[in-house]
Amino acid sequence: MPDTQIRILQFPLRILLHSGVPVGTLQTHIPRQALEAVPGLWQNSSALLALMEQEPRVYTGEKNMLLQSLMASFYFLLLKHFPAKISAKARKDADLFFKTVEYANAHFDREDSSVETIAKALCISREKLSSVFLQYAGISLKHYISTLRINYVNQLLLEGLDITSASLKSGFGSIRTFNSVYKTVMGITPTEFLKKHN
């Protein structure tokens, strides 16, 4: 009996959504035979996987952007040939998910941006919104908003803004909350982040 290999990939949501290409749902299981049936697809996908395997997965507090870009390329390559056939309910949930991401991306830097305010803006219950977002993103909406804010803080810090101003400009109501969230998301403090980049 031949050896069986199974690869499970979790694609980088932030990179996919900022790619400028419409994001869709993939088939959850794509056998090797299906890849080999499309001319050139097996070679291209194998080359991308080989490049991904050479990249370090994560280093302290920061994601490997090259790895994420390679994964996004792999995702769109598969999406072109293996979009999922989904039910009307699943399509509705997917639409809600993408509307939520769009809203969060546009409003994360407001202090009142929360799961509750987004649910109210989209006329959906907090429970339904949280459930759909977790299902599609694999992380909570609260964590996604925090990550957007921290990424923006890091950008502002690298542009020379001080830590307090950067945190307030990114939607945090207090420096205490900011410090706690920053350490949770990045694994290091803002001061340590600055030391690494100076």
Side-chain angles (χ1 to χ4, degrees):
M1 184 175 188
D3 289 340
T4 301
Q5 273 193 350
I6 297 175
R7 295 174 190 257
I8 299 172
L9 299 174
Q10 183 174 357
F11 295 102
L13 180 66
R14 186 172 63 86
I15 297 291
L16 296 182
L17 292 169
H18 288 87
S19 66
V21 180
V23 175
T25 308
L26 274 174
Q27 289 180 29
T28 53
H29 176 250
I30 304 170
R32 175 175 175 159
Q33 293 84 349
L35 293 171
E36 290 176 334
V38 180
L41 183 58
W42 176 251
Q43 291 80 4
N44 290 337
S45 58
S46 296
L48 281 169
L49 283 169
L51 287 170
M52 284 188 265
E53 287 172 353
Q54 292 172 16
E55 288 299 311
R57 295 298 179 266
V58 177
Y59 43 90
T60 308
E62 296 175 306
K63 300 291 183 186
N64 182 327
M65 294 304 290
L66 176 57
L67 177 59
Q68 289 191 8
S69 297
L70 289 168
M71 289 184 74
S73 298
F74 188 67
Y75 164 83
F76 287 116
L77 181 65
L78 294 180
L79 183 63
K80 180 178 177 184
H81 301 285
F82 302 102
K85 295 177 177 71
I86 60 176
S87 68
K89 181 194 175 299
R91 176 76 59 201
K92 189 176 177 182
D93 285 350
D95 288 344
L96 173 61
F97 170 70
F98 292 121
K99 282 179 187 173
T100 303
V101 170
E102 186 178 13
Y103 187 94
N105 287 353
H107 299 93
F108 71 87
D109 57 347
R110 297 180 185 176
E111 190 179 335
D112 67 346
S113 254
S114 64
V115 178
E116 291 80 8
T117 56
I118 295 174
K120 188 175 179 182
L122 298 178
C123 302
I124 195 85
S125 74
R126 181 188 191 282
E127 293 72 25
K128 173 70 173 176
L129 183 66
S130 297
S131 171
V132 167
F133 194 89
L134 183 61
Q135 176 191 345
Y136 279 85
I139 59 171
S140 71
L141 178 52
K142 182 179 178 181
H143 183 77
Y144 181 70
I145 294 167
S146 294
T147 303
L148 289 173
R149 287 176 170 169
I150 295 303
N151 287 338
Y152 188 46
V153 165
N154 288 341
Q155 178 186 327
L156 294 173
L157 291 176
L158 293 174
E159 289 172 2
L161 208 60
D162 64 274
I163 292 171
T164 301
S165 299
S167 69
L168 294 174
K169 195 169 180 180
S170 301
F172 290 98
S174 72
I175 195 71
R176 183 177 179 179
T177 302
F178 163 70
N179 283 329
S180 172
V181 173
Y182 193 97
K183 187 72 183 282
T184 299
V185 171
M186 292 292 294
I188 57 175
T189 67
T191 305
E192 289 169 333
F193 172 82
L194 284 170
K195 282 180 182 173
K196 284 177 67 177
H197 292 85
N198 284 337

